[in-house]
Amino acid sequence: MTPPGALPLYLPDLLPTRALSAELTGARPLVDRIVTDLALHDGAGAPQHHLIFGGPGRGKSAALALLAARIASDLSDTWFPVPLHAGWPRASTLSGWWLAVLDALAQAVPPSLAAPLRDALSALPDPEGDRSHQALQLLRGCADTLDRRLVLLLDDADAVLGRLSAHQWALREVLSTEPRLALVGASATPMDLTIDYGAAFYDFFQTHELPPLTPAAALALAAHLAHALGHDAAAQTLATQPRRAEAVFTLLTPTPRLAAAYVAELALAPAGDAATDVLRLLDRATPTCAARLRALPEQAQQVVEGLAAAWDPCTAADLAATLRLPVNTVSSQLSRLAHQGLVEKVPLPPGARLGFLLADRDLALWYLALSGGPLRQRLCALARALEHAEPTPDLPPPSDDLAVARLAPERRRAARLLSRRP
């Protein structure tokens, strides 16, 4: 049994296989597509390379772990998975890249093969050109020794490949011609180096977006994790108080990471309601949210805080009046934040006016929780209202906008905020 609270949130490979579920994380279709593509490769010519993308917590690392498990079980005669985790050494030279891949391979192969591989690594020459060439030859030799082709499973691909800016064309050349190597990367967004016409990896990857979860899917995943890992108190709470959990997954962006965090919280403190659950989860998100806010310039921070406190979409003029800043200054900051994807423009009826909202709903809710006082009270009241609301038979099920017409006046004011999902 996994100790309460011990669910890994960022290293899904630490989870036992029974806890990983391609169906429940939404990764099953893309894992199936990649496995099918690898199975069809006959070893003649380079295979197709793939990129999985999706917002934070969507399950990209879990998808790579699931893919590694599927390759090991279904394609073990022809392919060998080599996980390259997000924290691995991010090389800035081509030799550093191949050495990091070889080091990851040494961790994945049986000890009888790992020892001679490490000896060969220590004997590589120092000059960069020779070192890079011989490291690649060593990798090819390892594939031949295993009599299998290698699937490089690269987490945080945008950061890793971005650091290789001076060597991207050389890396593309190898991957475009080497039949023994397939690269499957994961990134929070489609990487600029894949959509920029002049970039080395333009039109190189087949891309797969990992979809967000619905609140119902997040609840099912949380229940699965609780049962698979023996968190009996959490499993009982989820089974007996489903509306409580649905309220949490409606307010916060429902992702596999949130589901794991929620199970850990319930395992430690099953008593409470949706409001206390939301506050605990937002408290857990403080390091990430605070870092995002502090990374912005001072005036941009003011604008983000003003948007979070406003609840409703607001115009640049309204926000400027609230913040006591010049309208031009606020408009300029809003444009920059929109370009960065932190702010979203929405139409304000009637007429053609534009309003602005934080695109990251969890960051907005975190700020409300952090602020305390009336803002936090509103958030808690909304969570409890969602928990105790009864479905209305004559209306369709709630969609991403929470079926605004069903909401009481206080909840209606937050509907726009709540509908912000990646």
Side-chain angles (χ1 to χ4, degrees), residues 37-418:
D37 184 80
L38 292 171
L40 292 174
H41 184 251
D42 59 5
Q48 174 66 58
H49 305 283
H50 300 266
L51 177 68
I52 300 167
F53 69 92
R58 289 260 190 108
K60 299 180 294 297
S61 298
L64 291 181
L66 288 161
L67 182 57
R70 282 286 302 278
I71 293 169
S73 64
D74 297 357
L75 305 177
S76 59
D77 291 340
T78 52
W79 290 98
F80 187 86
V82 184
L84 307 172
H85 300 297
W88 79 314
R90 296 175 182 176
S92 57
T93 64
L94 201 56
S95 67
W97 159 269
W98 293 125
L99 262 65
V101 171
L102 284 162
D103 183 70
L105 179 60
Q107 298 178 47
V109 297
S112 59
L113 296 178
L117 174 54
R118 293 192 185 281
D119 291 341
L121 280 171
S122 63
L124 290 173
D126 287 332
E128 169 62 25
D130 293 340
R131 190 175 182 84
S132 175
H133 174 73
Q134 291 193 30
L136 177 57
Q137 291 301 107
L138 179 58
L139 185 63
R140 288 166 169 156
C142 289
D144 292 340
T145 300
L146 289 167
D147 194 24
R148 282 175 281 179
R149 303 186 287 278
L150 306 177
V151 185
L152 310 182
L153 302 169
L154 177 60
D155 211 346
D156 210 12
D158 48 348
V160 175
L161 296 180
R163 188 170 291 187
L164 287 166
S165 56
H167 307 279
Q168 289 172 0
W169 283 105
L171 180 58
R172 173 171 179 147
E173 176 64 23
V174 172
L175 294 174
S176 298
T177 57
E178 177 53 67
R180 288 164 286 197
L181 297 177
L183 178 61
V184 180
S187 172
T189 59
M191 300 181 294
D192 288 342
L193 64 162
T194 66
I195 57 179
D196 181 353
Y197 181 76
F201 291 102
Y202 173 76
D203 202 26
F204 180 74
F205 293 99
Q206 182 176 341
T207 58
H208 311 267
E209 183 175 10
L210 197 57
L213 297 177
T214 64
L219 173 57
L221 176 58
H224 168 78
L225 287 171
H227 283 292
L229 298 175
H231 288 278
D232 297 335
Q236 183 177 9
T237 301
L238 292 167
T240 59
Q241 303 179 56
R243 296 289 296 171
R244 171 181 169 183
E246 288 172 1
V248 171
F249 292 129
T250 298
L251 272 168
L252 302 176
T253 304
T255 64
R257 183 176 297 159
L258 178 65
Y262 190 36
V263 170
E265 290 297 330
L266 290 178
L268 289 168
D273 61 7
T276 56
D277 294 342
V278 167
L279 292 179
R280 288 170 183 161
L281 290 166
L282 290 173
D283 176 69
R284 180 184 278 245
T286 292
T288 301
C289 292
R292 290 196 67 189
L293 191 61
R294 290 169 187 162
L296 299 172
E298 183 178 347
Q299 284 188 338
Q301 290 184 38
Q302 289 180 269
V303 169
V304 167
E305 291 169 357
L307 288 174
W311 285 69
D312 295 319
C314 57
T315 65
D318 291 339
L319 190 58
T322 301
L323 298 176
R324 298 182 180 276
L325 291 173
V327 175
N328 290 344
T329 298
V330 172
S331 295
S332 176
Q333 292 294 341
L334 287 169
S335 296
R336 290 193 187 97
L337 291 167
H339 180 71
Q340 296 169 11
L342 292 174
V343 165
E344 184 177 351
K345 299 177 183 179
V346 295
L348 288 178
R353 293 188 310 157
L354 281 179
F356 296 87
L357 280 170
L358 283 186
D360 188 334
R361 184 180 61 185
D362 292 343
L363 181 62
L365 295 175
W366 170 79
Y367 179 79
L368 299 180
L370 182 75
S371 299
L375 290 178
R376 183 189 291 177
Q377 291 171 15
R378 277 174 146 182
L379 175 58
C380 291
L382 178 56
R384 293 187 180 105
L386 288 171
E387 179 179 1
H388 297 292
E390 292 296 333
T392 305
D394 58 342
L395 289 173
S399 62
D400 278 356
D401 63 1
L402 297 181
V404 176
R406 293 173 50 197
L407 303 183
E410 179 62 27
R411 293 158 63 202
R412 191 177 300 122
R413 297 192 70 242
R416 289 277 191 177
L417 173 66
L418 301 180

